[in-house]
Amino acid sequence: MNLRSSWVAETGQTREDTRLTQTGVTTMANPVQVRSGILPGSYDGQYRLSGFWTFGSAAMSATVSEGRAVIQGDIAQGVYPVTLPASEVVTFAPGNAQYNRVDLLVLRIYDNLYDSSERTEATVEIIQGVPEQDPKAPLVPARCLPLYEVLVPAGVSAGNGGIPWDSSLKDLRTPVVSLGGILPVEGPVQPGAYPGQYQDAGGALQRWDGGAWVSYPSALGGIIPSSASTTPASYTGQYRDTVGGQLQRWNGSAWVPAVTGPYYADNSDYGDTTSTTYTSTLVARATNPLTLTFVAPPSKAVLVTFGARMKSADTHYGFMALRLTQGTTVVNDLNDEYAAIVASDTTVSVSAMRRLSGLTPGLSYTFTAFFKINTNSAGLKAGFDNTFIRVDPQA
């Protein structure tokens, strides 16, 4: 039988059985194997990954800091836990006389059962690369966890200054955590092993949805913060806070302002009319008509305010009213009951306000101002100055 167990059989438990049945510090890669990697953490809590941190400590030598890691073998071999309880110094061979080379600093498992090495041990080891004009890191052997690539320039040695550590070390370390833990991402982003797995990637908490890492705000319907405003949208209706502080909504194809407006239009020219029916043209005004176009918000409702400095006569009313259209369709027609009205031969400031609902989100609508005087038996005029329209989208 292939089913393995540990701490059941009275005799015969193998090292392989023990490795295959470990359920401790492991980030799953599939139902049986785990990722190879290093346990995160630092002494003062300031860094994600301090285990096996490496720095140049002499011309051709580097110090590898203490740490813990797991190294996954083939699917039937299990995972090898390793610990370096105290730092260790490794020494690199002098550089080639003509070409640079790239060496690998690794954690390596020798297991004679699989590699016929006649060794059964874990080592911190340098795998030396091949000097060439365009050097590349050597291939990674089985049961081996890369820590760093180290560029060894041509001709360097202990006697001439050695390896320039500040520019020669390329960090390859990646973390792993216990099953179900939130993985701090360092280095390449790898696929998840199951829907519902979480990782912390560059300050954004992400969830694996079975095919991609989805940022935490997307998964929960929250607002994507400005620090992650470049995160792709996941669904229509998602919101984000931009770097500029504007709240935006994903409409299915683009990010658009979540709350548009307010919209405003005005005309400071004086104009008048003798018309007893509504007209959008005022005599003596250079520009007619007064219109305002806006985009209907997701709430489907807007608050419209309009008015002017108006005059007519004590016994004759002057009216200013609005017509709402969507394209060529009249959505809300002129109505005296909702007009701004004046009955005075002295100019007075008049305004009116109204809430309109039932609009189609995302469509453009237009308000147009119309004017009239109610009766005109004596050739009277209604005058209008500083006319304006304002639209405020409702939440």
Side-chain angles (χ1 to χ4, degrees):
M1 179 178 290
N2 288 325
L3 186 64
R4 303 298 185 94
S5 66
S6 56
W7 319 122
V8 173
E10 294 182 6
T11 60
Q13 178 172 324
T14 66
R15 292 171 296 164
E16 193 175 69
D17 290 332
T18 305
R19 293 194 304 270
L20 282 166
T21 54
Q22 287 184 99
T23 56
V25 184
T26 48
T27 297
M28 301 304 296
N30 56 50
V32 178
Q33 293 177 293
V34 302
R35 295 186 193 178
S36 295
I38 298 166
L39 278 63
S42 59
Y43 287 110
D44 52 12
Q46 294 188 44
Y47 305 101
R48 291 187 177 204
L49 198 61
S50 290
F52 302 99
W53 177 62
T54 300
F55 58 93
S57 52
M60 299 299 295
S61 297
T63 297
V64 182
S65 301
E66 59 273 21
R68 298 177 65 195
V70 291
I71 301 172
Q72 174 66 55
D74 290 341
I75 194 166
Q77 297 172 8
V79 60
Y80 298 81
V82 297
T83 300
L84 183 65
S87 61
E88 184 167 322
V89 175
V90 293
T91 300
F92 292 79
N96 178 266
Q98 185 175 5
Y99 295 119
N100 296 344
R101 76 169 191 272
V102 175
D103 293 350
L104 268 182
L105 177 63
V106 302
L107 303 179
R108 186 171 184 177
I109 297 293
Y110 289 92
D111 192 337
N112 186 59
L113 184 62
Y114 307 112
D115 55 27
S116 302
S117 63
E118 299 185 357
R119 299 172 64 181
T120 50
E121 61 178 328
T123 66
V124 179
E125 186 173 302
I126 297 169
I127 301 176
Q128 191 168 303
V130 177
E132 52 190 349
Q133 191 168 0
D134 184 19
K136 296 178 178 59
L139 296 177
V140 180
R143 296 171 300 281
C144 197
L145 177 63
L147 299 178
Y148 286 84
E149 287 183 7
V150 181
L151 175 64
V152 182
V156 297
S157 66
N160 63 3
I163 296 172
W165 294 110
D166 289 344
S167 58
S168 285
L169 287 170
K170 180 181 178 181
D171 196 347
L172 304 178
R173 297 172 302 154
T174 57
V176 292
V177 293
S178 60
L179 182 62
I182 297 175
L183 179 71
V185 176
E186 295 288 334
V189 176
Q190 301 184 42
Y194 55 90
Q197 183 178 0
Y198 284 87
Q199 69 176 21
D200 180 6
L205 189 61
Q206 296 180 332
R207 179 183 181 274
W208 181 255
D209 68 359
W213 288 107
V214 180
S215 291
Y216 182 84
S218 307
L220 295 190
I223 297 172
I224 298 176
S226 59
S227 60
S229 61
T230 57
T231 302
S234 299
Y235 56 87
T236 300
Q238 183 180 8
Y239 288 85
R240 75 173 182 182
D241 179 22
T242 66
V243 175
Q246 182 187 52
L247 184 65
Q248 293 183 332
R249 179 181 182 273
W250 180 254
N251 66 8
S253 59
W255 288 105
V256 296
V259 180
T260 52
Y263 301 87
Y264 186 84
D266 67 350
N267 191 324
S268 59
D269 286 346
Y270 173 85
D272 54 40
T273 184
T274 59
S275 176
T276 57
T277 59
Y278 278 115
T279 176
S280 61
T281 301
L282 292 176
V283 178
R285 175 171 280 187
T287 304
N288 287 288
L290 174 63
T291 63
L292 177 62
T293 298
F294 66 94
V295 177
S299 67
K300 305 180 183 180
V302 297
L303 190 68
V304 57
T305 307
F306 61 97
R309 298 182 66 228
M310 300 164 56
K311 68 177 182 177
S312 56
D314 291 343
T315 56
H316 293 78
Y317 297 97
F319 292 77
M320 177 183 179
L322 298 181
R323 172 179 287 162
L324 178 64
T325 56
Q326 200 284 305
T328 58
T329 302
V330 176
V331 177
N332 198 277
D333 210 353
L334 303 165
N335 190 324
D336 288 355
E337 291 188 9
Y338 300 110
I341 306 173
V342 69
S344 171
D345 56 8
T346 301
T347 300
V348 294
S349 295
V350 182
S351 66
M353 181 182 293
R354 186 183 179 192
R355 185 179 187 273
L356 294 173
S357 59
L359 307 179
T360 302
L363 291 185
S364 292
Y365 292 80
T366 300
F367 278 115
T368 303
F370 285 79
F371 311 91
K372 73 174 183 178
I373 188 168
N374 68 328
T375 59
N376 199 13
S377 58
L380 298 174
K381 298 178 181 181
F384 305 87
D385 197 7
N386 295 340
T387 53
F388 75 92
I389 307 171
R390 172 174 170 153
V391 171
D392 290 274
Q394 298 294 281

